[in-house]
Amino acid sequence: MAIKTIFLDRDGVINKEVNYLHKIDDFEFIDGIFDSCRLLQKLGYSFIVVTNQSGIERGLYKLRDYQILTKWMLQQFKKNNIKILDIFYCPHEPKSKCSCRKPKPGMFLEAENKHNIDMVNSWMIGDKECDIKAANLARIHQTILVRSGHKIEESSSNAKFIIDSINEATNIINK
Ligand SMILES: [Zn+2]
């Protein structure tokens, strides 16, 4: 059976936005995220993280730094009884013209293919318009933009909902 999923951007959604974040010491979870994820998990959603990490190809940090941080982040979710099904990352710079960097839908399509995801009944939560565009291109139209990350242009956004943080998503995603 196809699974319904909540796709999460990382920086600005899961953790406070820090430019080219790559150290555990600089990683600060958004307040209340574990409670919110547990509620959403109870509704039967799985979680997949899709994150642009161009700092890798830009040489600002190493793939190894990203992997260490990711492993630690997953441990924190696990300690809080939340299962992250998978994480997809794009290490490329914008100029590389890869098919994975959001707003391209590559990471979503890869996830769909790997995990048999019910895209129509899945959600995207992001803090940038490129998150919404990428999701839409992958046939995910239930989209939420949060104000907890980058500054957003609310009037021109294509997101279905705009909220302060993931904590309010539990009011929207309740089926
Ligand atoms: Zn890429």
Side-chain angles (χ1 to χ4, degrees):
M1 197 180 85
I3 52 171
K4 56 182 185 175
T5 295
I6 298 174
F7 287 90
L8 299 169
D9 176 42
R10 195 191 76 182
D11 302 319
V13 175
I14 293 174
N15 55 281
K16 294 184 182 165
E17 169 63 34
V18 173
N19 260 337
Y20 301 112
L21 175 63
H22 62 284
K23 290 184 188 143
I24 292 170
D25 283 351
D26 297 333
F27 190 103
E28 196 180 340
F29 282 100
I30 297 284
D31 291 334
I33 181 147
F34 297 125
D35 289 335
S36 300
C37 286
R38 269 196 302 270
L39 276 169
L40 296 168
Q41 195 168 250
K42 274 189 191 151
L43 296 173
Y45 289 94
S46 62
F47 299 107
I48 291 179
V49 179
V50 281
T51 178
N52 282 352
Q53 294 294 327
S54 68
I56 297 170
E57 198 174 86
R58 291 178 209 263
L60 297 170
Y61 50 91
K62 299 208 174 330
L63 174 59
R64 179 97 186 110
D65 298 318
Y66 165 78
Q67 289 168 331
I68 290 169
L69 180 61
T70 299
K71 191 177 170 192
W72 175 85
M73 182 183 80
L74 288 175
Q75 284 167 349
Q76 308 314 305
F77 275 109
K78 198 176 171 192
K79 274 186 199 166
N80 285 279
N81 299 313
I82 296 150
K83 188 185 174 200
I84 303 292
L85 179 62
D86 212 340
I87 298 189
F88 294 85
Y89 70 97
C90 164
H92 307 115
E93 291 187 75
K95 69 179 182 196
S96 76
K97 296 191 167 47
C98 65
S99 59
C100 40
R101 185 178 165 81
K102 295 174 286 185
K104 297 267 183 65
M107 293 190 281
F108 294 81
L109 298 176
E110 199 183 336
E112 180 190 17
N113 194 38
K114 185 173 169 187
H115 296 291
N116 187 26
I117 293 166
D118 175 357
M119 301 300 259
V120 170
N121 289 303
S122 292
W123 288 79
M124 172 68 203
I125 306 178
D127 75 327
K128 282 183 173 175
E129 204 55 31
C130 69
D131 295 318
I132 307 306
K133 189 172 180 195
N136 287 166
L137 287 170
R139 309 176 333 277
I140 295 170
H141 296 286
Q142 304 187 117
T143 54
I144 299 175
L145 204 54
V146 293
R147 301 186 183 98
S148 55
H150 280 93
K151 186 165 169 34
I152 54 180
E153 290 295 336
E154 304 198 8
S155 57
S156 59
S157 176
N158 286 308
K160 281 265 166 67
F161 300 93
I162 301 177
I163 58 179
D164 283 345
S165 81
I166 189 170
N167 297 309
E168 289 174 27
T170 53
N171 301 326
I172 298 169
I173 306 172
N174 49 25
K175 56 186 178 197

